[in-house]
Amino acid sequence: MLNWLARDSLEFPPLEQALREPDGLLAAGGDLSPERLISAYRHGCFPWFQEGQPILWWSPNPRMVLLPAELHVSHSLRKLMRQGRFEVSFDRDFPAVIRACAAPRSYADGTWITRAMQAAYLELHRRGIAHSVEVWQEGQLVGGLYGLALGRLFFGESMFSRTDNASKIGFVTLVEQLRECGFALIDCQMHTQHLSSFGAREIPRADFAGYLERYLDQSGPTPWASTPA
């Protein structure tokens, strides 16, 4: 049975109550307030829904993650990065990145990054929790990604690319910076072959919950400024 959230409580059901079909659907309802979103990620779930649907909260099992030390970069991509054709920045233009991630894709109908979702994550960015990676070529934004940083964990949300390999370069640069800063894990949410090619793998939901318990409240250096641009 699907759990429905109360607007006057930030509590989520235990992760073990997530449905098996569809995999990981934990709850519905609630809102996209900063407090609820932070509570969701700390609990181990995230929002994902289409325009016109109620807010749906997910905690898939298994969970796709990337341990920074396990990052795999192909020889061809590493060679491209050494050429210096792209510039990578952090938190330079979060609004532009999330708008680009929300733009229509040739392979998908609609977008789950609704206007309400954009507004919610923009507020998290203003609070120093959501962060963006921008990839520039000749002064133009050609790729990027965004996600949340809590403790020594990074929760990836979405990426985009307007030219070949741009998002890959942004992702690799972020992972390498997170590794240098001592981050323990990057949450990739659900399996894709694209993420697998970088060394991401699936782990049991219980193991993911263990990472949350261990690393959510640990602090340390980060690759972005303490105050977002």
Side-chain angles (χ1 to χ4, degrees):
M1 180 179 296
L2 181 62
N3 296 285
W4 284 85
L5 302 181
R7 283 188 170 269
D8 58 354
S9 172
L10 298 178
E11 294 296 319
F12 285 87
L15 298 182
E16 295 77 14
Q17 293 186 14
L19 301 180
R20 293 186 178 181
E21 182 60 41
D23 175 46
L25 181 56
L26 178 66
D31 56 30
L32 295 174
S33 67
E35 293 76 18
R36 189 180 300 275
L37 285 170
I38 293 169
S39 178
Y41 284 92
R42 291 185 62 87
H43 187 65
C45 61
F46 56 88
W48 184 39
F49 60 100
Q50 300 291 328
E51 191 76 61
Q53 291 181 330
I55 301 172
L56 302 177
W57 304 89
W58 301 79
S59 181
N61 186 31
R63 187 82 166 221
M64 191 73 166
V65 303
L66 174 62
L67 305 184
E70 297 180 0
L71 174 67
H72 171 76
V73 185
S74 68
H75 175 74
S76 59
L77 183 60
R78 185 66 73 187
K79 180 179 179 180
L80 178 62
M81 294 177 70
R82 288 198 297 265
Q83 293 175 358
R85 291 162 49 190
F86 298 91
E87 176 193 358
V88 180
S89 61
F90 297 91
D91 282 348
R92 185 183 297 179
D93 198 341
F94 185 95
V97 169
I98 196 169
R99 285 196 303 269
C101 288
R105 311 287 178 101
S106 59
Y107 53 83
D109 295 328
T111 177
W112 58 271
I113 309 176
T114 63
R115 290 185 178 181
M117 287 280 279
Q118 292 180 55
Y121 284 83
L122 281 167
E123 179 58 30
L124 289 178
H125 175 64
R126 285 190 283 268
R127 298 189 183 200
I129 297 170
H131 301 278
S132 60
V133 179
E134 301 87 16
V135 182
W136 309 85
Q137 187 174 39
E138 298 179 351
Q140 299 296 313
L141 182 64
V142 294
L145 61 102
Y146 75 95
L148 280 66
L150 294 169
R152 291 172 59 195
L153 305 173
F154 186 84
F155 301 83
E157 276 299 312
S158 184
M159 63 177 64
F160 79 98
S161 188
R162 292 170 176 160
T163 190
D164 289 346
N165 297 305
S167 62
K168 294 180 181 180
I169 289 173
F171 181 71
V172 169
T173 302
L174 171 66
V175 175
E176 292 180 339
Q177 289 295 308
L178 292 176
R179 181 174 60 197
E180 291 183 11
C181 292
F183 274 62
L185 178 141
I186 297 160
D187 175 29
C188 302
Q189 298 182 348
M190 291 178 284
H191 177 272
T192 68
Q193 192 58 44
H194 176 70
L195 292 168
S196 294
S197 70
F198 287 105
R201 55 187 172 89
E202 294 179 321
I203 63 174
R205 183 166 52 213
D207 291 356
F208 180 73
Y211 277 96
L212 296 177
E213 183 177 359
R214 181 175 180 182
Y215 294 107
L216 267 176
D217 295 314
Q218 292 191 12
S219 61
T222 66
W224 33 76
S226 58
T227 303

